[in-house]
Amino acid sequence: MTHIPDSHPRAASLRLRERLVEGLHAGVVSETGLIAHGRGEALDYLLGEQTHRFAREALTAASALLRLATHPVMTVNGNVAALVGPELKGLVQHHPWLTLEINLFHYSRPRAARVLEYLRHVGLPRVLHHGDCEHPAVLAGLESDRRWMHPDGVGRADVVLVALEDGDRCQALVNSGRRVIAIDLNPLSRTAQAAHVSIVDELSRTLPQLDQCLQRDQQTSRHELEARWHAYDNRVILGAATTALRTGIGA
Amino acid sequence: MTHIPDSHPRAASLRLRERLVEGLHAGVVSETGLIAHGRGEALDYLLGEQTHRFAREALTAASALLRLATHPVMTVNGNVAALVGPELKGLVQHHPWLTLEINLFHYSRPRAARVLEYLRHVGLPRVLHHGDCEHPAVLAGLESDRRWMHPDGVGRADVVLVALEDGDRCQALVNSGRRVIAIDLNPLSRTAQAAHVSIVDELSRTLPQLDQCLQRDQQTSRHELEARWHAYDNRVILGAATTALRTGIGA
C-alpha cells in the first residue's frame, strides 16, 4: 500500500482505488470490476466528489422504505465488498435487521467463497449466499447465475438495496414486485432509471449517511415514514442528478 | 474471449475492454490502467461515443504539426499498447518517419520488456526504450522513471504525440520547449489543458483518422500547414469539448 497523505486533494478517491486493487489481488474484484470503478470515478469527478441535495433526498426516502419494510435485504457484489467492507460492518452493527446477501456478476463458487471470506475478515460473518442452501429461489427474467436468491434473503425480501448493480438485475428485481433502492453514480443508467429510489452518490460516502438517516428514523412514526415515501418522486431526483452531472452544479 | 456480436450497440467499447483485460493478463496493463480506462469509458459515453467536430479540428492541427516537425515522436504506455496495437501498426506503416518510444507510468525493466514484446507481436518491432541505451536523456521536472528519454526518441524530438498521458509528464514536455499533441478524453484534465493540441476523442477511433489526415497532408504545402497551425486555437477547442461533455451536444 502506498502512503497517501490526508492533505492530498483526492486522498479519499485514491484510498478507494487501493481498496479495490487489494480486492483484485484477493480474487474478490474482477478485471471488469476495476473498469467499472473507473467509470464511477469519472462520474463522481464530474459531480464534484460531493453528496448533492438530490442524493440526500433520495437517502431519506431510502431510509423510510427500509424502515417500513418487512424483510429488507442488501445485496453485495465483489466491488461493494472490496470498497465498503468497514462501512457495511457499521451499517449492520447499527441495524442488525438488515440482511446481507452476496450476488456476483462473474459468479463461481470459489469466487463466492473468497468474497464471503473477505467479508468475514472485515467483521461480517453472517452474509447469505444462495450456494449455501439446497433449494435457492429464482428471480424471473435473468439467465445468469445472478438469478439465484437465498430463500431467507432476497427470496423473501420486500425491499432490496443494491449498489453498483447492472441494469437487467435491477429491472428484474423491480419486475418481481420488490421495492428497489439503488446506489449508482450514473443517473442515466438503466439501474438508476429502473429503481424506485436512486441514490446518485459515491458508495463509501453515502453509506455512512444512510446509516445516520436510519438511526434518526428509529424515532420516526410509521405514519410519517409513509408520508415521506409517498411524497418522494424519483423522476425529479434523477432529473436534478442529470443536471448536476452535466453542469457540475447540484440541484 | 467472449464473442461480441457486431449488432451489439456497444460492441466497439466491449472489444476495447477485452483488449485491455488481455493486456492485463500479459503484464502489459497495470491495475490502475484498468481503472483509468473505465474513467475514459464514462467520458466517451457522455460524449456519445463519437468523434466530434472539435476533435476533427484538433486532428487537422495535429497533422500539420507532425508534418512540419523535424523529429516527431509518439510515446506509448501500457494502456496504449494494449488498446491500439493494430492501429499503431497501420499508422507507422503509412508514416515510417514517426518514431515510437515506450514510456510507462509504473516502470520496471521486466514490464518494459513485456510491452516491447507485446508490440513486436502486433507487428511493431522498432519501438525505442530508454533502457536500451547507456546514456538516456532526462526530462527536467519529473522525479519518476518517466523522466528518461531515448536520445534518438523523445530526447531529440521537437513534436511529441502522447495518448492517455498524465498531467505532470505532459506539462514537463511542454516546459521543455517541445510541441505536444495529446489524445485525451477529458478536456478538463491537466494533460488536455497543458498540451498545444488536445484531441478529445477515444484513442482507437481517432488514430485511424489521424492516419488519414496525415496521408492527405502528404500533398499539402508547408506554407498551408503553417497557416493551419497558426490559425488553430486550442482554448476554443477545449471550450467546445467541455460544452459537449456537459451537454452531450457536440460543437
Side-chain angles (χ1 to χ4, degrees):
Chain A
M1 286 291 108
T2 319
H3 174 70
I4 302 162
D6 288 334
S7 61
H8 191 291
R10 305 203 55 253
S13 174
L14 295 175
R15 285 196 183 119
L16 282 181
R17 199 183 286 179
E18 294 215 329
R19 284 190 188 178
L20 206 69
V21 171
E22 193 186 313
L24 181 81
H25 294 158
V28 163
V29 169
S30 69
E31 291 92 347
T32 51
L34 281 192
I35 298 177
H37 181 70
R39 287 200 300 279
E41 275 191 5
L43 295 164
D44 198 26
Y45 168 85
L46 291 171
L47 287 169
E49 294 179 344
Q50 58 181 298
T51 301
H52 288 265
R53 192 175 134 193
F54 51 78
R56 285 195 297 272
E57 277 191 45
L59 278 168
T60 61
S63 178
L65 257 193
L66 288 166
R67 281 276 165 208
L68 290 167
T70 306
H71 189 60
V73 176
M74 176 172 178
T75 69
V76 175
N77 61 30
N79 273 28
V80 172
L83 285 173
V84 289
E87 290 79 2
L88 280 179
K89 187 189 169 191
L91 187 69
V92 172
Q93 272 179 337
H94 295 134
H95 313 287
W97 44 267
L98 181 65
T99 301
L100 299 185
E101 175 172 348
I102 66 163
N103 187 282
L104 306 177
F105 189 86
H106 297 288
Y107 181 83
S108 71
R109 276 197 88 96
R111 185 159 173 245
R114 284 196 298 272
V115 175
L116 288 168
E117 176 54 35
Y118 200 80
L119 291 169
R120 235 190 312 271
H121 183 76
V122 170
L124 290 160
R126 274 184 302 278
V127 177
L128 297 180
H129 168 217
H130 67 75
D132 293 336
C133 61
E134 249 182 85
H135 301 290
V138 176
L139 181 61
L142 282 184
E143 295 298 313
S144 68
D145 282 317
R146 285 169 302 153
R147 73 185 182 282
W148 303 114
M149 307 183 285
H150 196 290
D152 296 328
V154 180
R156 67 183 182 91
D158 54 344
V159 173
V160 183
L161 170 60
V162 297
L164 320 179
E165 187 55 80
D166 67 332
D168 57 351
R169 179 160 180 263
C170 184
Q171 187 65 60
L173 286 167
V174 168
N175 293 349
S176 75
R178 291 167 176 88
R179 300 281 186 191
V180 180
I181 301 160
I183 301 174
D184 192 311
L185 273 160
N186 185 0
L188 305 163
S189 72
R190 287 186 303 149
T191 296
Q193 296 284 329
H196 296 95
V197 177
S198 305
I199 303 168
V200 180
D201 198 12
E202 194 279 314
L203 182 60
S204 75
R205 199 167 54 228
T206 223
L207 267 192
Q209 297 183 67
L210 179 61
D211 185 355
Q212 284 162 28
C213 242
L214 286 167
Q215 289 187 52
R216 278 196 303 273
D217 279 337
Q218 251 170 330
Q219 316 301 331
T220 313
S221 72
R222 201 169 173 85
H223 177 75
E224 202 180 314
L225 293 172
E226 274 166 0
R228 190 197 296 163
W229 164 238
H230 288 300
Y232 178 78
D233 188 340
N234 206 42
R235 290 293 106 190
V236 173
I237 292 301
L238 286 173
T242 305
T243 301
L245 187 67
R246 292 300 195 183
T247 64
I249 301 160
Chain B
M1 287 292 108
T2 320
H3 174 70
I4 303 163
D6 288 335
S7 61
H8 191 292
R10 304 201 57 253
S13 174
L14 294 176
R15 284 192 186 122
L16 282 181
R17 198 183 287 179
E18 294 216 331
R19 284 190 188 178
L20 206 69
V21 171
E22 195 186 312
L24 180 82
H25 295 157
V28 163
V29 168
S30 69
E31 290 92 347
T32 51
L34 282 193
I35 298 177
H37 181 70
R39 287 200 300 279
E41 274 191 5
L43 294 164
D44 199 26
Y45 168 85
L46 291 171
L47 286 168
E49 294 179 345
Q50 57 180 298
T51 302
H52 288 265
R53 193 174 133 193
F54 52 78
R56 285 194 298 271
E57 276 191 44
L59 279 168
T60 62
S63 178
L65 257 193
L66 288 166
R67 280 276 165 208
L68 290 166
T70 306
H71 189 60
V73 176
M74 176 172 177
T75 69
V76 175
N77 60 29
N79 274 28
V80 172
L83 286 173
V84 289
E87 289 80 0
L88 280 179
K89 188 189 169 191
L91 187 68
V92 172
Q93 271 178 338
H94 295 134
H95 314 287
W97 44 267
L98 182 65
T99 302
L100 299 186
E101 176 172 348
I102 65 162
N103 186 281
L104 306 178
F105 189 86
H106 296 288
Y107 181 83
S108 71
R109 277 196 87 96
R111 185 160 172 243
R114 284 196 299 271
V115 175
L116 288 167
E117 176 54 34
Y118 200 81
L119 291 169
R120 237 191 309 274
H121 184 74
V122 169
L124 290 160
R126 274 184 302 278
V127 178
L128 297 180
H129 168 217
H130 68 75
D132 292 337
C133 60
E134 250 181 84
H135 301 290
V138 175
L139 181 62
L142 283 184
E143 295 298 313
S144 68
D145 282 317
R146 284 170 302 152
R147 73 185 182 282
W148 302 114
M149 307 182 284
H150 196 290
D152 296 330
V154 180
R156 67 182 182 90
D158 55 342
V159 173
V160 184
L161 171 59
V162 297
L164 321 179
E165 187 55 79
D166 68 331
D168 57 351
R169 179 161 179 262
C170 184
Q171 188 64 61
L173 285 167
V174 168
N175 293 348
S176 74
R178 292 169 175 86
R179 299 282 187 192
V180 180
I181 301 159
I183 302 173
D184 192 310
L185 273 160
N186 184 1
L188 304 164
S189 72
R190 289 186 302 149
T191 296
Q193 295 285 329
H196 296 96
V197 178
S198 305
I199 304 167
V200 180
D201 199 13
E202 195 280 313
L203 182 60
S204 74
R205 198 167 54 226
T206 223
L207 268 193
Q209 297 184 67
L210 179 61
D211 185 355
Q212 284 163 27
C213 241
L214 286 167
Q215 290 186 52
R216 280 196 301 272
D217 280 337
Q218 250 169 329
Q219 317 301 332
T220 313
S221 72
R222 201 167 172 86
H223 178 75
E224 202 181 314
L225 293 171
E226 275 166 359
R228 190 197 297 163
W229 163 237
H230 288 300
Y232 179 77
D233 188 340
N234 207 43
R235 291 292 107 190
V236 173
I237 292 301
L238 286 173
T242 305
T243 301
L245 187 66
R246 293 301 194 180
T247 64
I249 301 160

